[in-house]
Amino acid sequence: MKDNNKAKPINSIKCVFPIKSVNEGLSRMIVAAFISQLDPTVSELADMKTVISEAVTNCIVHAYRDVTDKTSAFIYISGEYYTDGRVIIRIKDKGVGIENIKQAREPLFTTDCENERSGMGFTIMENFTDKLRVYSKKGRGTTVVLEKRIGL
Ligand SMILES: Nc1ncnc2c1ncn2[C@@H]1O[C@H](COP(=O)(O)OP(=O)(O)O)[C@@H](O)[C@H]1O
Ligand SMILES: [Mg+2]
């Protein structure tokens, strides 16, 4: 991918864990610890934790909704930060995928009305970051890429 930005990566992270709901909190703490090296403000840290929770919760409740063995499906997190303070975090699953990404990103859209989900996950991710990218293929999985400038 062409990147006009001259900033260089300073540090990176990669982790994989099963879709157990306890790992939602774990993923939030891991990413928070990772970006704390950039000296974020309290609000930047809170924003990042919120968006990681939304993305990981989506993997657990939507991507692998039909999986009963919670130890057999995984969430893949990777990320890095750059000399210009940009943090990029990718949250990937190999679940059911999203058929219509544009519609899924609309405020209040949810496919899970039974459990009274708000349909605001993607809207929150978009509002609390500088950039949100969503890649998905039906039956193959989804990758959410969150980008935010921290500590500058
Ligand atoms: N990782 C994912 N895998 C499959 N579908 C997803 C994923 N993330 C989001 N979706 C779809 O996008 C919709 C909107 O997501 P979101 O804005 O977080 O709202 P909510 O989670 O409250 O439904 C979900 O209802 C679901 O259909
Ligand atoms: Mg959601």
Side-chain angles (χ1 to χ4, degrees):
M1 200 187 297
K2 196 174 174 226
D3 192 353
N4 293 324
N5 198 313
K6 296 262 162 49
K8 294 193 169 60
I10 303 174
N11 201 2
S12 64
I13 188 172
K14 250 184 199 176
C15 53
V16 182
F17 43 80
I19 53 161
K20 296 169 79 69
S21 54
V22 290
N23 287 337
E24 189 251 301
L26 178 66
S27 64
R28 208 167 358 131
M29 299 310 287
I30 288 171
V31 174
F34 176 62
I35 66 164
S36 69
Q37 298 162 0
L38 283 168
D39 212 7
T41 63
V42 171
S43 104
E44 285 168 339
L45 204 53
D47 289 357
M48 208 60 178
K49 283 183 180 175
T50 302
V51 299
I52 298 302
S53 284
E54 291 294 337
V56 170
T57 302
N58 279 353
C59 298
I60 297 172
V61 304
H62 301 300
Y64 298 116
R65 58 185 165 235
D66 300 327
V67 174
T68 46
D69 178 5
K70 303 289 181 204
T71 59
S72 71
F74 297 91
I75 297 169
Y76 305 79
I77 297 186
S78 67
E80 61 274 334
Y81 56 75
Y82 292 82
T83 43
D84 62 358
R86 241 174 349 126
V87 177
I88 295 184
I89 304 287
R90 293 172 212 87
I91 298 183
K92 175 179 150 183
D93 64 67
K94 295 183 179 174
V96 297
I98 301 173
E99 204 161 351
N100 184 338
I101 298 173
K102 192 167 176 281
Q103 182 184 46
R105 290 181 64 154
E106 274 167 19
L108 303 175
F109 177 84
T110 183
T111 50
D112 190 12
C113 304
E114 274 168 47
N115 295 308
E116 294 179 16
R117 301 227 155 256
S118 66
M120 292 301 286
F122 280 132
T123 306
I124 291 168
M125 287 183 244
E126 203 162 302
N127 288 345
F128 287 15
T129 58
D130 298 325
K131 203 186 268 178
L132 168 70
R133 278 166 284 175
V134 183
Y135 305 95
S136 192
K137 218 167 194 176
K138 199 166 175 260
R140 299 289 292 276
T142 301
T143 302
V144 166
V145 185
L146 303 154
E147 183 173 327
K148 189 174 175 68
R149 217 172 264 264
I150 298 282
L152 290 178

